[in-house]
Amino acid sequence: MDSQEWDRRYASADLVWTAEPNRFVVAELADLAPGRALDLGAGEGRNAVWLATRGWQVTAVDFSAVGLDKGRRLAAARGAAVDWVHADRREYQPQAAAFQLVLAAYLQLRADELDGVLRGAVTALAPGGLLLVVGHDLANLTEGTGGPQDPAVLYTPEGITRSLDGLTIMRAERVRRPVAANSPPGGHREAVDTLVRAIRG
Ligand SMILES: C[S@@+](CC[C@H](N)C(=O)[O-])C[C@H]1O[C@@H](n2cnc3c(N)ncnc32)[C@H](O)[C@@H]1O
């Protein structure tokens, strides 16, 4: 999807995602001491705002102006300060060695584009910094629910770690995420995500 398609999608609903942070973001990051964080593809800002409320100094990048505006409103409602950057991740050059955390959540790009974004993320990490990548896994097509149906933009743990030269991989695995289902009412299904946690030594 291009930025105009994302703008239309974000304009069509109150919140496309939720105002609450992703469950893996919370589980992996809640215990970290705050510092500077970079959220690549921040969307409506749920993760960026959560980090900011926990004391992080967050730079949130997205190419959807509509998504970023929603992020600004969420931040204002939560009393959080976030630096919102309207940019295409494929061209955006983050400051080198500057961030204690880089987050890439559900950036479903083609492998060659994602590789460039992840290599830029590695460069942006300060020594000791943490990279967290979460996204829809290829296995979601056959074992999961929701998410993009184009295999070209789906992750595997191996596909992500291949781009992380110079980092120490702490976790690289498939994880399951309950998703509310309409049928049966009140039931849930499970989505399959890739989760990679890596640190710069
Ligand atoms: C599935 S949403 C995830 C949003 C957010 N990370 C979250 O977990 O709630 C993907 C986001 O990536 C953004 N995006 C996609 N391609 C992009 C690009 N090339 N440059 C910047 N943002 C992009 C979209 O606008 C969208 O907000």
Side-chain angles (χ1 to χ4, degrees), residues 82-96:
V82 172
D83 181 18
W84 303 100
V85 177
H86 185 213
D88 190 317
R89 289 176 309 222
R90 292 165 294 193
E91 289 149 21
Y92 174 71
Q93 300 284 337
Q95 190 183 342

Side-chain angles (χ1 to χ4, degrees), residues 109-125:
L109 296 175
R110 286 200 334 261
D112 56 331
E113 294 178 339
L114 185 62
D115 180 69
V117 171
L118 292 176
R119 289 181 190 279
V122 170
T123 306
L125 281 176

Side-chain angles (χ1 to χ4, degrees), residues 113-149:
E113 294 178 339
L114 185 62
D115 180 69
V117 171
L118 292 176
R119 289 181 190 279
V122 170
T123 306
L125 281 176
L130 172 73
L131 172 66
L132 181 66
V133 181
V134 186
H136 300 285
D137 189 276
L138 185 61
N140 197 51
L141 288 181
T142 49
E143 299 167 29
T145 185
Q149 300 298 298

Side-chain angles (χ1 to χ4, degrees), residues 25 51 69 87 89 118 132 170 176 181 193:
V25 168
L51 286 166
D69 277 346
R89 289 176 309 222
L118 292 176
L132 181 66
M170 312 300 286
R176 292 181 175 267
D193 288 346

Side-chain angles (χ1 to χ4, degrees), residues 1 3 6 9-10 17 22 39-47 61-64 67 87-90 104-109 136:
M1 285 168 66
S3 60
W6 275 108
R9 187 166 180 195
Y10 284 135
W17 320 119
N22 171 259
D39 184 0
L40 292 170
E44 297 160 308
R46 58 180 179 152
N47 298 319
V61 181
D62 203 286
F63 70 177
S64 167
D88 190 317
R89 289 176 309 222
R90 292 165 294 193
Y106 303 95
L107 298 188
Q108 310 296 153
L109 296 175
H136 300 285

